[in-house]
Amino acid sequence: MTQSNGPGRPRPVLTASSGEVAPVRDASMEPGAAEPVSARIRARLLAARQRFHANDNISRFIEPGEIEALGAEVEARLADVLRSLVIDIDNDHNTQETARRVARMYLREIFAGRYAAPPSVTEFPNVEQLNELMIVGPLRVRSACSHHLCPIIGKLWVGVMPNQHSNLIGLSKYARLAEWIMCRPQIQEEAVSQLADLLQEKMSPDGLAIVMEAEHFCMHWRGVRDTDAKMTNSVMRGSFLKDDKLRREFLTLLNINRG
């Protein structure tokens, strides 16, 4: 039996009733089919010369109603992936809804930081002119490795050295901003740097420090399958970078907090 992979041509699948091969067409490849919503969003990004790497937020280029349409498109593509893995999603009760569930999970949960607008954060003036070290954490964070789309799960700590001109934010807002940054496919080093940039922009402190410690399931599930290894990295800005005494104070208090 001949199978064709050309655009708009039938792709054979087994029917549930007869076991015979029947053609299934990808509607998006048919002549006159509507342009996929992903192509429209991508065209806007390219026209604006806007980068859209895995860890970038593209919410400004998504129009109302397009997330739902994008979910349907991703669901269809994931169904094809499952079929290519030779999984009978038409008759296997465990995987009949898997493509829909995974599409929703990607767009609404684990990759939501790409598609959702930034959380609303109110900044308060430093009326009391606080200028002492503040540490927030540990904050539980969840992300996904952009190499294998495996989970990254860990904790992070934020150190802030404000000045009289700094803005202050509520404690819960650190968690919201961290979640918005982390809910994207990425590597840990870039995630921490992105979060530092965002907090620096919101608060304008004299100094900013972030330490993140996480387990990477791309090591747990595959490859070396080392279940004990963790990755720890840090970003130091401003006075934390210049003042050894301040940096030591932050790291000492952080280690006490860990213990």
Side-chain angles (χ1 to χ4, degrees):
M1 182 173 296
T2 302
Q3 175 175 339
S4 172
N5 295 322
R9 296 181 180 177
R11 192 179 48 207
V13 297
L14 288 173
T15 60
S17 58
S18 66
E20 296 177 353
V21 174
V24 172
R25 292 181 177 272
D26 183 348
S28 67
M29 300 300 290
E30 294 291 341
E35 184 180 37
V37 65
S38 61
R40 297 200 299 273
I41 297 170
R42 190 179 300 108
R44 292 181 203 124
L45 289 158
L46 291 171
R49 296 185 178 181
Q50 181 70 34
R51 198 183 80 164
F52 51 103
H53 289 184
N55 61 346
D56 289 327
N57 179 270
I58 60 172
S59 60
R60 292 189 297 116
F61 298 90
I62 299 175
E63 297 182 354
E66 286 188 332
I67 281 292
E68 291 75 15
L70 191 59
E73 181 184 334
V74 172
E75 178 183 346
R77 299 294 187 263
L78 285 169
D80 283 342
V81 170
L82 292 171
R83 289 190 177 99
S84 294
L85 291 169
V86 199
I87 297 174
D88 184 4
I89 63 174
D90 298 309
N91 298 294
D92 176 9
H93 62 282
N94 288 318
T95 57
Q96 284 177 348
E97 297 295 322
T98 295
R100 179 186 60 80
R101 287 189 292 262
V102 174
R104 180 175 179 81
M105 178 183 70
Y106 280 161
L107 292 171
R108 302 288 188 177
E109 296 176 301
I110 60 174
F111 297 168
R114 299 199 73 236
Y115 309 105
S120 177
V121 175
T122 301
E123 297 104 25
F124 304 95
N126 187 6
V127 175
E128 298 298 325
Q129 299 187 11
L130 302 174
N131 63 352
E132 297 291 339
L133 172 62
M134 300 185 301
I135 299 177
V136 178
L139 301 175
R140 173 66 70 176
V141 292
R142 301 164 184 83
S143 191
C145 169
S146 53
H147 297 159
H148 295 95
L149 302 186
C150 288
I152 298 172
I153 298 177
K155 299 176 182 179
L156 66 80
W157 293 260
V158 179
V160 178
M161 177 58 75
N163 59 46
Q164 60 181 336
H165 304 296
S166 296
N167 293 320
L168 305 177
I169 63 175
L171 288 178
S172 66
K173 302 307 185 290
Y174 289 94
R176 291 182 184 276
L177 292 172
E179 181 181 31
W180 185 66
I181 291 292
M182 294 295 163
C183 284
R184 308 171 191 184
Q186 58 197 326
I187 62 173
Q188 182 173 329
E189 303 94 309
E190 293 179 358
V192 171
S193 182
Q194 278 190 327
L195 180 58
D197 290 342
L198 182 60
L199 290 173
Q200 186 72 38
E201 176 188 339
K202 295 286 183 185
M203 303 178 70
S204 300
D206 265 357
L208 180 69
I210 299 178
V211 171
M212 179 172 169
E213 177 184 88
E215 297 181 73
H216 290 241
F217 281 70
C218 56
M219 288 188 67
H220 292 357
W221 286 354
R222 56 163 302 281
V224 296
R225 297 183 181 178
D226 186 330
T227 59
D228 296 321
K230 295 182 180 180
M231 178 178 179
T232 303
N233 72 307
S234 66
V235 170
M236 304 285 172
R237 302 276 173 88
S239 53
F240 284 97
L241 197 59
K242 301 172 184 176
D243 188 335
D244 291 342
K245 183 179 178 181
L246 176 63
R247 185 164 61 252
R248 284 197 300 271
E249 180 183 1
F250 168 67
L251 293 174
T252 298
L253 292 173
L254 186 150
N255 287 328
I256 292 172
N257 187 296
R258 279 176 174 173

